[in-house]
């Protein structure tokens, strides 16, 4: 089993701790000039999303988590599971509620997502940074108003609600940044 | 790739130049002679907590200095009088926000002084540098013993507390690491992760009277308990300087080197050749003196209010 030393801890590194997979968020080296060195490490539990701080003696090693990122196409949701497919092999994976948590508002059929597998089970889903979604519901657009900066809510085909400028109309396709959940631009049809 | 560019802004490099000039000005008026000693030596530090870089000259091994302390003491024993040095020192495996494996140390020695008097001069020098950079932040100065610092923050006596008590304090603070630590290891953890980070950020905190077990190259002051004649200066929570009323006893120094070597063997740390020329110099007679090492990169970091060491050195480790 692969292991990592505290000196290899970098943001994004996946490690096992108390039987759970964690990602390193931040690693701070603490050493009195004449004393024992420590690493104060901020880590995120990949199952629960909870972020905790942990102290290690410098030079300690921990087991690497068997975590891989795979590009997969989103297929459909059946009410209980969200289904994904590896395009090359047609291999399918079913992800539960916890794994899709933040991503599900942006999942559109056929879009390619990053599925993080742990022990071959979907652990987290990362949607594309930008998705294009159709507005299914919003107040009528205000003509000519392109500059006042006012916003209104718009409901998208996935159920997500984003703030959009007042001139946007129902039925339009929007480009959304999934990392911030913000409207970027209109997409011409 | 853009990693050819400096990690520090030109403005900071200009402040760095002013800092170096201010240090030299200070010693021109508060007389000490600037010296230079070898960066590569056949002896190395035996300190079990400090790792040297080893380099090869053909088949022969030399070590990059982790501090200029040993050759500077040889100069003192040879009659140099008060001396100071600004030099690069090298410590393997020490990298982080406040650590760069290669850094700049200011080290100086005063004949006939003790640790308390030298600690006052460290504060005076920092004020002089701050004034010269016109950055003189409105900092206060506090003096605490190691015991007072622990008492105030953790309500325990670091000289007498059992290991179990230190473990409870660490675990209450949520900083307990897995695995065993020595008693001094627990004290280092509490000092480095809990006590010092609690010092106010605009304050220079001078901590004195370290545990005798952490004397390094300081003499031990008799008392109940006996303490090391050692002090450290913290800028906010950042350790800036470490000073000693220097040990001048050659036999005691040799014993400490032997003890270091034993601890290195016990922990499978690399063997390092003790500096026998230092022992010979002590045997020949090191005058009564106090000495201190101050990290200039960190001083600049604190004075300029920057947040990472890489912002105050031209090319940090990952761009060197």
């Amino acid at each position: 089993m692969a292991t990592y030393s505290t000196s290899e801890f970098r943001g994004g590194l996946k490690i096992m701790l108390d039987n759970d997979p964690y990602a390193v968020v931040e690693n701070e080296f603490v050493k009195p000039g004449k004393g024992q060195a420590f690493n104060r490490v901020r880590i995120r539990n990949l199952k629960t999303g909870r972020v905790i701080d942990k102290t290690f003696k410098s030079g300690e090693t921990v087991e690497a988590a068997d975590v891989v990122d795979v590009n997969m196409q989103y297929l459909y949701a059946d009410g209980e599971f969200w289904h994904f497919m590896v395009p090359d092999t047609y291999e399918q994976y079913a992800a539960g509620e916890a794994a899709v948590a933040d991503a599900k508002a942006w999942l559109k059929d056929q879009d390619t997502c990053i599925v993080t597998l742990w022990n071959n089970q979907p652990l987290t889903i990362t949607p594309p940074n930008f998705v294009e979604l159709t507005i299914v519901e919003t107040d009528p657009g205000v003509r000519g108003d392109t500059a006042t900066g006012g916003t209104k809510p718009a409901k998208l085909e996935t159920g997500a609600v984003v703030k959009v400028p007042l001139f946007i109309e129902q039925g339009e396709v929007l480009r959304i940044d999934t990392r911030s959940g913000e409207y970027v631009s209109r997409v011409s049809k | 790739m853009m990693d050819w560019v400096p990690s520090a802004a030109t403005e900071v490099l200009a402040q760095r130049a002013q800092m170096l000039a201010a240090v030299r000005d200070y010693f021109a008026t508060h007389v000490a002679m600037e010296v230079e000693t070898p960066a590569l030596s056949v002896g190395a530090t035996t300190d079990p907590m400090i790792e040297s870089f080893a380099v090869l000259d053909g088949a022969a091994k030399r070590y990059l200095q982790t501090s200029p302390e040993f050759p500077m003491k040889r100069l003192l024993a040879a009659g140099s009088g008060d001396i100071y040095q600004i030099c690069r020192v090298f410590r393997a495996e020490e990298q982080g926000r406040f650590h760069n494996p290669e850094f700049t140390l200011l080290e100086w020695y005063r004949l006939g002084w003790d640790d308390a008097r030298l600690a006052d001069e460290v504060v005076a020098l920092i004020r002089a540098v701050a004034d010269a950079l016109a950055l003189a932040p409105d900092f206060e100065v506090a003096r605490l013993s190691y015991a007072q610092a622990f008492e105030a923050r953790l309500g325990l006596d670091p000289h007498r507390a059992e290991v179990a008590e230190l473990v409870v304090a660490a675990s209450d603070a949520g900083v307990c690491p897995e695995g065993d630590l020595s008693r001094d290891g627990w004290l280092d953890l509490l000092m480095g992760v809990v006590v010092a980070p609690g010092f106010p950020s605009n304050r220079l905190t001078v901590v004195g009277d370290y545990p005798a077990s952490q004397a390094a190259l300081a003499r031990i002051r008799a008392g109940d308990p006996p303490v090391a004649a050692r002090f450290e200066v913290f800028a906010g929570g950042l350790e800036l300087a470490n000073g000693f009323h220097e040990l001048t006893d050659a036999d005691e120094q040799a014993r400490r080197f032997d003890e270091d070597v034993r601890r290195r063997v016990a922990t499978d740390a690399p063997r390092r050749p003790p500096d026998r020329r230092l022992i010979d110099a002590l045997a020949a007679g090191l005058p009564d003196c106090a000495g201190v090492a101050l990290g200039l990169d960190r001083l600049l970091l604190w004075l300029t209010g920057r947040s990472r060491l890489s912002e105050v050195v031209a090319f940090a480790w990952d761009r060197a």
Side-chain angles (χ1 to χ4, degrees):
Chain A
M1 191 42 96
T3 59
Y4 296 115
S5 145
T6 53
S7 63
E8 297 175 276
F9 284 9
R10 306 260 182 284
L13 191 78
K14 313 285 195 304
I15 58 172
M16 285 300 295
L17 223 58
D18 306 324
N19 300 316
D20 271 359
Y22 284 85
V24 173
V25 178
E26 230 182 305
N27 177 18
E28 180 121 321
F29 181 71
V30 181
K31 183 185 189 299
K34 304 256 174 223
Q36 169 79 47
F38 299 95
N39 290 72
R40 296 277 292 140
V41 185
R42 178 156 288 181
I43 50 179
R44 189 176 66 250
N45 185 314
L46 292 172
K47 277 162 69 179
T48 63
R50 214 160 72 86
V51 174
I52 59 169
D53 290 321
K54 194 136 173 92
T55 306
F56 293 88
K57 270 193 291 181
S58 294
E60 292 278 288
T61 55
V62 296
E63 203 180 295
D66 184 15
V67 166
V68 287
D69 290 337
V70 184
N71 282 321
M72 294 191 205
Q73 217 170 48
Y74 170 58
L75 299 178
Y76 64 95
D78 63 14
E80 190 179 1
F81 289 103
W82 284 256
H83 298 266
F84 296 84
M85 182 183 74
V86 183
D88 305 341
T89 62
Y90 306 111
E91 216 178 332
Q92 293 195 16
Y93 290 86
E97 174 84 38
V100 293
D102 300 332
K104 68 183 177 203
W106 314 116
L107 289 178
K108 190 180 162 191
D109 301 0
Q110 310 298 317
D111 271 0
T112 301
C113 303
I114 298 166
V115 177
T116 303
L117 296 174
W118 175 50
N119 292 338
N120 223 30
Q121 293 293 314
L123 186 64
T124 56
I125 310 296
T126 312
N129 289 344
F130 297 98
V131 291
E132 293 179 0
L133 297 169
T134 307
I135 299 179
V136 294
E137 199 183 312
T138 193
D139 290 338
V142 182
R143 281 211 176 274
D145 187 358
T146 56
T148 58
T151 61
K152 61 182 179 179
K155 190 173 177 189
L156 307 174
E157 56 183 302
T158 55
V161 176
V162 294
K163 280 186 191 152
V164 299
L166 298 176
F167 60 83
I168 300 281
E169 305 274 6
Q170 187 167 316
E172 284 190 293
V173 180
L174 304 183
R175 187 172 166 81
I176 308 291
D177 186 330
T178 62
R179 293 160 297 187
S180 60
E182 280 167 9
Y183 157 89
V184 180
S185 62
R186 276 194 286 194
V187 180
S188 48
K189 280 177 274 190
Chain B
M1 290 293 281
M2 279 295 283
D3 62 1
W4 68 267
V5 300
S7 50
T10 307
E11 166 204 353
V12 179
L13 297 179
Q15 288 170 316
R16 188 179 184 93
Q18 285 180 310
M19 171 179 73
L20 295 175
V23 168
R24 291 193 164 99
D25 273 357
Y26 178 89
F27 287 111
T29 36
H30 302 79
V31 183
M33 173 171 71
E34 180 164 10
V35 297
E36 292 182 286
T37 57
L40 281 167
S41 165
V42 294
T45 184
T46 52
D47 190 318
M49 295 301 171
I50 299 179
E51 254 350 294
S52 305
F53 286 93
V55 299
L56 294 176
D57 173 23
K61 217 181 233 182
R62 292 226 166 197
Y63 299 90
L64 279 164
Q65 65 182 350
T66 58
S67 144
E69 178 158 10
F70 298 170
M72 287 182 82
K73 283 180 174 168
R74 286 162 60 194
L75 288 175
L76 293 164
S80 66
D82 292 359
I83 50 176
Y84 78 97
Q85 178 160 205
I86 297 170
C87 62
R88 285 306 176 93
V89 299
F90 306 84
R91 296 186 186 181
E93 297 157 32
E94 297 191 13
Q95 201 206 343
R97 221 173 119 197
F98 301 123
H99 292 80
N100 201 57
E102 174 180 356
F103 61 102
T104 303
L105 209 55
L106 163 63
E107 180 140 346
W108 77 97
Y109 291 85
R110 294 292 187 190
L111 298 191
W113 289 26
D114 67 4
D115 44 317
R117 189 169 169 200
L118 186 58
D120 287 343
E121 187 173 46
V122 172
V123 173
L125 176 125
I126 292 173
R127 278 206 195 281
V129 171
D131 288 345
L133 268 66
L135 283 172
D138 188 18
F139 62 82
E140 342 157 15
V141 179
R143 288 178 175 73
L144 300 172
S145 69
Y146 189 88
Q148 285 168 335
F150 269 71
E151 180 65 41
R153 177 78 184 184
L154 297 165
L156 62 79
D157 178 348
H159 299 294
R160 293 182 178 83
E162 302 283 338
V163 169
E165 211 180 320
L166 303 177
V167 175
V168 168
S171 120
D172 286 349
V175 299
C176 231
E178 308 277 333
D180 289 339
L181 285 174
S182 64
R183 189 174 185 285
D184 281 317
W186 286 107
L187 290 176
D188 287 337
L189 173 72
L190 291 169
M191 186 62 170
V193 177
V194 184
V195 176
F199 295 155
S201 61
N202 66 338
R203 188 176 90 181
L204 281 183
T205 305
V206 181
V207 179
D209 296 345
Y210 272 64
S213 57
Q214 298 179 16
L217 286 86
R219 59 178 71 189
I220 308 281
R221 215 175 349 252
D224 181 27
V227 291
R230 170 183 165 192
F231 68 89
E232 290 208 358
V233 179
F234 293 83
L238 192 61
E239 186 184 336
L240 277 193
N242 181 29
F244 307 137
H245 190 182
E246 300 291 346
L247 181 66
T248 53
D249 180 337
D251 294 336
E252 170 63 16
Q253 186 64 66
R255 263 195 301 280
R256 290 190 195 178
F257 279 167
D258 289 346
E259 175 56 28
D260 282 353
V261 170
R262 263 195 298 280
R263 283 173 62 198
R264 281 185 164 270
V265 170
T267 56
D268 290 325
R271 295 288 295 272
R272 297 301 184 213
D275 193 329
R276 66 168 179 78
R277 291 179 177 125
L278 173 70
I279 303 291
D280 290 348
L282 297 186
L286 178 68
D288 178 34
C289 65
V292 63
L294 186 155
L296 288 178
D297 313 284
R298 286 189 182 176
L299 175 59
L300 187 59
L301 180 79
W302 181 63
L303 289 176
T304 57
R306 302 274 164 168
S307 57
R308 329 183 68 87
L309 217 56
S310 57
E311 294 176 70
V312 299
V313 299
F315 299 104
W317 191 242
D318 57 356
R319 297 191 188 190

